[in-house]
Amino acid sequence: MRPSLLSVSLALCLSSTAAVAAPDGEPRDFDQIVVTATRTERAISDVPNTVDVIDRARMDTLLVRDIADLFRYEPGITVGSSFGRFGLNDIRIRGLGGNRVRIQTDGIAVPDAFAIGSFSSANRNFVDLETLKRVEVVRGPTSSLYGSDALGGVVSFVTKDPSDYLRDGDTAHVGTKIGFEGANEGLFAGATAAFGGERWSGLAAVSHRQGKETESMGGIGGEGAARTQANPQSSNGRSVLGKLVFAPSDTQRFKLTVEGNEDDVETDVLSSYGFQSLTRATNTQVLGNDHQSRARITFGHELDGLSSALADGVDWQVYRQDSRTRQDSVEVRRVPSGAATIRDRREREFYFDQRSYGLQANARKTFETGSVEHALAYGIDIERTETKQKRDGRRIFLDTGVVTNAMSPDTFPVRDFPISDTTKASLYVQDEIAFAGGAFRLVPAVRVDHYRLEPEVDSIFREDNPATQVADLHETSVSPKLGFVWTFADAWSLYGGYARGFRAPPYNDVNIGFTNFQFGYTAIPNPDLKSETSDGLELGVRYSGDAAYASLSTYYTQYDDFIESTRYTGIDPVSRLMVYQSQNIADARIRGVEFKGGVYFDSFAPALAGWSLRGAAAWSRGEDRITGEALTSVDPLTATLGVAFDQAAWGAELAGRFVGRRDRLPTAPAGSIYFESPGHAVLDLYAHWNFAPGTRLNAGVFNLADRKVWQAGLVPLIAASSATLDRYTAPGRNVAVSLSVDF
């Protein structure tokens, strides 16, 4: 699909922007209230950023079960994945992902991602989407409000409250939900109970999920490196969300939240069976058993209607959050040794644990200076996190029964960086200044962050790195922002501004340490790392009418001092080892254009009541400013377009996903050409039926035409001549269904 696809999408959506009113009582997309963009409750049409909102009703309609489903129709937001064992791994916004995007649940950042080697990959996929009432995404640098790790943007998960179920004077609610996914033969079930009275209310939600590997359109099975079918997997997970709310008056609320989520995945890694050229061994069995869990407890207080010179309202919360990733791997091998063959079993264990304590406090104050209105927001964030990582293992010689903890290049247990305590303390201030009766709003903001890293060297790290000198790190960063919204005509507004982002040097890059004498290399710490930074400019125009909505924006973001982990720096003159060290070396820029719009057709004719059209598109370009090479994380032209019909009892939607050819890739090694995933168009069909009071059936058919497609964000740099390209294909035609019953 070439750029004409964007033109078609824009024309279809903008051609009807003068249409008529939407169904009575249904909120317009740009009238939805968001909090993440400004830390105050504002309609999307009043914020100076590009913001996406996916509410609970939309998640149910789209049968969302994971983060890939969640952002299926959000061009410019990509969910990464890997073939083999570890699956979904990160969320990329405008080409930037990993720990450079802040992902948070109820304002609390989810744990970090960390990966090293082939047997360890801790991701950030810690949230059960069934517990959410809304997801908000702010695109672009957002450090002025959220500090480090908001370099590329913010994904904010907002969990359900008792008030979401107790309406029209209800004092109790019970609901259940079950469903099936064809792509991975997945089953899920959940139950929710809520109660409420004059002062007390509460909520308890539990869910269970299980499934198999997500299918691809690879046709080669069996064992070995030629396999293109997904490796056999068995997964199961569960979650719980509990909330207790006490409202001693109409102006204040105390809230206690308990949340837990865990997943287990077992994988038979058939693609790693057979002869391995690097180790000269033949694998007869490769198994993975992966577990991850997250638990948090939060106590918060909201107070409104204050008569204070400092604040009209305040809220604060204290929290503790614990996460654990444990990944166990088993290899059974035959290794040639002279004329004999050694049979051994290698068992590896990887741990990545984080424990965080924090305090967040926010205040809001409105006042006037002459004819100018101010909405001041300010607050503090304090968080202390302990991070532990460890690899352990043993080698068992099956013919002799000898067991050793030496498994080249490691003698286990080892830590790849010392136990690290990080403290983040920050203060932010933002003023929303309204001129001319609110027609022009200026939004300056600034945040000051202090970051402190304190490593703790224990016996495990010291034994593996006897000469490594670790370092403390103290860093202070100032992140300004200046945004504006100008309503220059009825329903029309111009918005945009400048924002700076930063990311403090990670603990693992500052104090990484390991040495491999067999292969002649060592990795050393770098206490002189600088923070990664970004400077972003954005300009857009919105239309938000009764009948239609549209937004067209352009952005340019420059990134400086990107950290390249374990970069080769030369030969140590004493040890003669190759030296690797994390360094600030990469600068990049990403620019693009984004569109989102929709039309409601109700007043064309009474017969068109319930019909609507929605579409979105994103075009971007990114390159390394030093080498001039294209950035592999930036997607090609992407667009979505859907037409829907919705009535009280039933509805349906036909949605299309369109992706251009991925033809901007770095230069391949001499004699090789990287695979350019071809453009494609995929159609999905949804339907829902409310066949009884409180009962709703949702169904979906994905990839209606059963086309073989490669999703650009899921394809690594791989030679065009590779025989395993089909590994990275998306599922063929598949179905999903869910049934919910509320009492």
Side-chain angles (χ1 to χ4, degrees):
M1 305 296 292
R2 292 298 178 183
S4 59
L5 173 63
L6 179 59
S7 303
V8 172
S9 300
L10 296 178
L12 284 171
C13 293
L14 288 175
S15 62
S16 302
T17 53
V20 290
D24 292 341
E26 182 180 327
R28 301 288 69 77
D29 283 56
F30 290 170
D31 292 335
Q32 295 185 80
I33 301 299
V34 296
V35 179
T36 309
T38 60
R39 288 217 182 198
T40 55
E41 292 187 348
R42 289 285 180 268
I44 293 177
S45 56
D46 291 331
V47 301
N49 305 83
T50 296
V51 181
D52 305 286
V53 178
I54 308 172
D55 60 21
R56 180 72 257 165
R58 188 63 178 162
M59 284 187 265
D60 290 338
T61 297
L62 299 180
L63 295 143
V64 167
R65 297 303 310 155
D66 58 34
I67 55 176
D69 297 339
L70 181 66
F71 297 116
R72 181 184 287 129
Y73 301 105
E74 298 294 336
I77 304 175
T78 307
V79 176
S81 184
S82 61
F83 172 81
R85 171 178 174 182
F86 297 118
L88 300 177
N89 48 45
D90 76 337
I91 300 173
R92 298 200 295 270
I93 301 176
R94 293 176 174 173
L96 208 64
N99 293 332
R100 295 182 174 104
V101 168
R102 180 180 172 93
I103 304 175
Q104 60 182 27
T105 304
D106 293 339
I108 300 168
V110 305
D112 293 337
F114 178 78
I116 186 168
S118 303
F119 300 94
S120 53
S121 180
N123 62 49
R124 308 175 76 191
N125 194 10
F126 281 101
V127 179
D128 180 5
L129 303 185
E130 200 60 40
T131 65
L132 306 180
K133 64 178 175 182
R134 188 173 71 254
V135 179
E136 300 178 8
V137 180
V138 182
R139 306 189 186 208
T142 322
S143 293
S144 61
L145 294 178
Y146 295 99
S148 181
D149 302 341
L151 193 70
V154 176
V155 178
S156 184
F157 297 124
V158 184
T159 60
K160 300 172 182 176
D161 287 312
S163 58
D164 297 315
Y165 296 96
L166 305 174
R167 297 173 181 172
D168 302 323
D170 293 341
T171 59
H173 167 91
V174 176
T176 62
K177 187 176 183 181
I178 58 175
F180 168 78
E181 304 174 89
N184 67 340
E185 298 183 26
L187 298 171
F188 64 91
T192 303
F195 73 90
E198 183 178 359
R199 293 287 177 255
W200 291 90
S201 61
L203 165 72
V206 296
S207 70
H208 175 81
R209 52 198 175 270
Q210 64 187 54
K212 297 183 179 180
E213 67 278 3
T214 299
E215 66 177 25
S216 70
M217 297 194 75
I220 301 176
E223 301 175 354
R227 181 183 177 91
T228 59
Q229 293 180 357
N231 288 310
Q233 282 188 330
S234 174
S235 64
N236 67 86
R238 58 216 60 88
S239 70
V240 60
L241 173 67
K243 290 191 177 183
L244 184 63
V245 180
F246 173 59
S249 69
D250 293 337
T251 60
Q252 63 174 321
R253 293 159 298 281
F254 293 91
K255 184 187 298 184
L256 176 67
T257 302
V258 177
E259 181 189 15
N261 187 66
E262 65 177 3
D263 286 283
D264 294 281
V265 181
E266 295 181 357
T267 309
D268 190 355
V269 193
L270 296 180
S271 57
S272 293
Y273 282 41
F275 180 73
Q276 309 296 307
S277 58
L278 182 63
T279 61
R280 312 298 298 174
T282 299
N283 291 340
T284 59
Q285 188 178 54
V286 183
L287 303 176
N289 189 342
D290 306 325
H291 169 87
Q292 66 176 27
S293 61
R294 179 180 67 92
R296 73 170 170 106
I297 182 170
T298 304
F299 181 73
H301 181 211
E302 301 173 5
L303 183 59
D304 301 319
L306 294 175
S307 299
S308 168
L310 296 178
D312 299 326
V314 297
D315 65 81
W316 58 266
Q317 65 176 351
V318 293
Y319 62 88
R320 170 177 162 174
Q321 178 173 260
D322 293 275
S323 68
R324 156 157 284 208
T325 297
R326 172 173 175 164
Q327 295 171 332
D328 297 333
S329 306
V330 173
E331 283 183 298
V332 178
R333 319 186 318 160
R334 298 194 305 269
V335 185
S337 178
T341 298
I342 298 174
R343 296 189 309 127
D344 68 350
R345 175 186 174 96
R346 297 188 170 209
E347 299 177 353
R348 294 177 172 88
E349 300 169 0
F350 167 75
Y351 302 87
F352 185 76
D353 302 337
Q354 286 192 312
R355 171 171 292 176
S356 299
Y357 301 88
L359 164 67
Q360 298 175 350
N362 307 286
R364 297 163 297 281
K365 177 66 179 178
T366 59
F367 59 95
E368 297 180 357
T369 55
S371 61
V372 179
E373 300 175 354
H374 298 262
L376 189 68
Y378 58 96
I380 61 171
D381 288 344
I382 301 172
E383 182 181 72
R384 184 173 178 85
T385 302
E386 180 186 61
T387 304
K388 295 181 179 180
Q389 177 265 347
K390 184 178 75 170
R391 289 185 293 119
D392 206 347
R394 63 206 56 83
R395 185 182 184 189
I396 304 169
F397 293 89
L398 300 178
D399 294 321
T400 64
V402 173
V403 179
T404 177
N405 64 338
M407 193 186 308
S408 180
D410 299 300
T411 300
F412 293 116
V414 299
R415 298 192 194 278
D416 298 298
F417 58 88
I419 298 172
S420 299
D421 290 323
T422 55
T423 302
K424 301 176 183 178
S426 62
L427 170 68
Y428 77 90
V429 180
Q430 175 184 266
D431 191 7
E432 299 175 75
I433 310 170
F435 302 90
F440 184 82
R441 298 174 60 248
L442 196 64
V443 188
V446 65
R447 177 172 170 132
V448 179
D449 284 270
H450 180 71
Y451 174 86
R452 183 173 65 190
L453 167 64
E454 299 173 299
E456 176 187 335
V457 177
D458 67 349
S459 59
I460 296 177
F461 184 83
R462 182 53 67 207
E463 287 176 10
D464 191 49
N465 302 274
T468 298
Q469 298 298 314
V470 301
D472 294 349
L473 183 67
H474 300 266
E475 184 101 2
T476 299
S477 182
V478 178
S479 303
K481 167 191 171 182
L482 181 62
F484 74 92
V485 180
W486 175 31
T487 304
F488 59 88
D490 289 344
W492 289 92
S493 61
L494 192 68
Y495 71 95
Y498 162 82
R500 183 170 176 83
F502 92 100
R503 177 177 176 242
Y507 39 81
N508 53 298
D509 284 307
V510 174
N511 284 318
I512 193 169
F514 59 83
T515 299
N516 184 341
F517 289 104
Q518 178 180 354
F519 292 98
Y521 65 85
T522 184
I524 62 174
N526 186 354
D528 298 322
L529 284 173
K530 296 182 291 184
S531 291
E532 301 176 335
T533 61
S534 65
D535 294 280
L537 296 172
E538 183 169 356
L539 182 64
V541 60
R542 288 192 186 106
Y543 174 82
S544 181
D546 292 332
Y549 62 94
S551 173
L552 181 66
S553 64
T554 181
Y555 65 89
Y556 177 94
T557 309
Q558 181 170 298
Y559 301 93
D560 296 302
D561 294 322
F562 267 16
I563 296 172
E564 181 179 331
S565 299
T566 57
R567 179 174 183 254
Y568 174 68
T569 62
I571 303 293
D572 184 277
V574 178
S575 66
R576 306 306 301 168
L577 295 174
M578 293 182 291
V579 178
Y580 291 83
Q581 185 183 54
S582 297
Q583 295 190 340
N584 298 99
I585 62 126
D587 295 337
R589 63 181 173 189
I590 301 175
R591 60 198 185 279
V593 179
E594 295 170 335
F595 169 82
K596 179 171 288 190
V599 183
Y600 301 92
F601 294 107
D602 293 70
S603 64
F604 283 124
L608 295 177
W611 287 94
S612 63
L613 178 75
R614 69 174 72 209
W619 174 92
S620 56
R621 287 288 183 267
E623 55 267 344
D624 186 315
R625 289 162 49 212
I626 296 177
T627 65
E629 296 281 7
L631 299 180
T632 59
S633 60
V634 175
D635 290 339
L637 172 67
T638 305
T640 61
L641 189 64
V643 59
F645 176 75
D646 195 13
Q647 289 188 334
W650 69 278
E653 180 174 349
L654 180 66
R657 294 174 277 146
F658 312 95
V659 179
R661 186 178 186 84
R662 189 192 187 201
D663 55 5
R664 283 181 54 82
L665 296 170
T667 304
S672 178
I673 300 175
Y674 285 136
F675 172 64
E676 297 180 358
S677 54
H680 63 263
V682 175
L683 293 178
D684 307 320
L685 179 64
Y686 298 92
H688 65 268
W689 180 29
N690 303 328
F691 59 89
T695 304
R696 182 181 176 98
L697 179 68
N698 285 92
V701 183
F702 307 97
N703 194 355
L704 277 170
D706 199 29
R707 298 193 60 187
K708 178 186 288 189
V709 299
W710 287 265
Q711 296 171 262
L714 308 186
V715 182
L717 289 178
I718 186 171
S721 59
S722 172
T724 59
L725 293 175
D726 286 353
R727 284 180 173 179
Y728 311 103
T729 51
R733 185 187 302 115
N734 64 97
V735 300
V737 62
S738 72
L739 173 66
S740 58
V741 181
D742 297 313
F743 304 96

